[in-house]
Every structure is written in C-alpha cells, then in structure tokens.
Amino acid sequence: MIYKLNSKKLGKKIREFSSTTYGKIMFVLCYIVFFCFFLIDVSVLTLAFLDWHFKIVLFYFNMATLISFVIGSYIYYRELKEYIEKTSK
C-alpha cells in the first residue's frame, strides 16, 4: 500500500505518524544512537586537529555514525510502513 501513495499522501502519512506518541518514541529510539555518535564525532573532530592519532578514532566514529543512521532509518521507516498499512485498511 505504501508504494501506491504519491508524495503528497506519503508526506501526510509521515506527519500523522510523527504526531502520534508511538511515532515520537520510535523517532527517539531509532535516532538516539546516531545523535550520540554525531556529538562524539564533533568532539573528536576538534581533537583531530591537535593530534594525528585522533584521526584514526575519527574514522571509526564516522563509520559508526553512518551505520547507526542507516540502521535507525531502516527501523523507523519499517515502522512507518506498518503504520500506513494498518491505518489504510
């Protein structure tokens, strides 16, 4: 059902899902790890200018940030898909 929606209807469903308590909780749970890694990334970036050893650490935190974002987005949009399928019937 989600694949048959045009962009306006999909945007409306995303706003509906985001306004529910479940949607807000899912957003926080899916993206909290990403935000934590991002904050660590920023702090390690400032240290990377001081010492080259931190550049290696920065690379690993960048990879962890990217992976956590991809996994969080997958879980969030899977839940959105289930919400759309259940509310459209």
Side-chain angles (χ1 to χ4, degrees), residues 9-51:
K9 290 181 182 178
L10 184 60
K12 182 179 176 186
K13 289 291 186 179
I14 290 172
R15 284 189 295 279
E16 283 178 22
F17 181 65
S18 298
S19 66
T20 64
T21 303
Y22 182 72
K24 292 175 186 176
I25 290 171
M26 284 307 299
F27 179 82
V28 170
L29 290 176
C30 290
Y31 291 109
I32 191 73
V33 175
F34 165 72
F35 288 124
C36 290
F37 276 129
F38 182 74
L39 292 175
I40 293 170
D41 254 355
V42 172
S43 63
V44 171
L45 179 63
T46 59
L47 295 173
F49 288 115
L50 301 175
D51 190 8

Side-chain angles (χ1 to χ4, degrees), residues 55-88:
K55 291 182 182 177
I56 297 168
V57 175
L58 181 64
F59 172 76
Y60 287 119
F61 274 113
N62 280 334
M63 289 297 105
T65 303
L66 178 66
I67 290 169
S68 66
F69 180 75
V70 169
I71 291 171
S73 296
Y74 171 75
I75 294 169
Y76 182 77
Y77 285 103
R78 186 184 66 198
E79 293 296 321
L80 175 66
K81 180 181 172 185
E82 288 180 18
Y83 172 80
I84 291 173
E85 287 174 354
K86 291 185 180 187
T87 57
S88 296

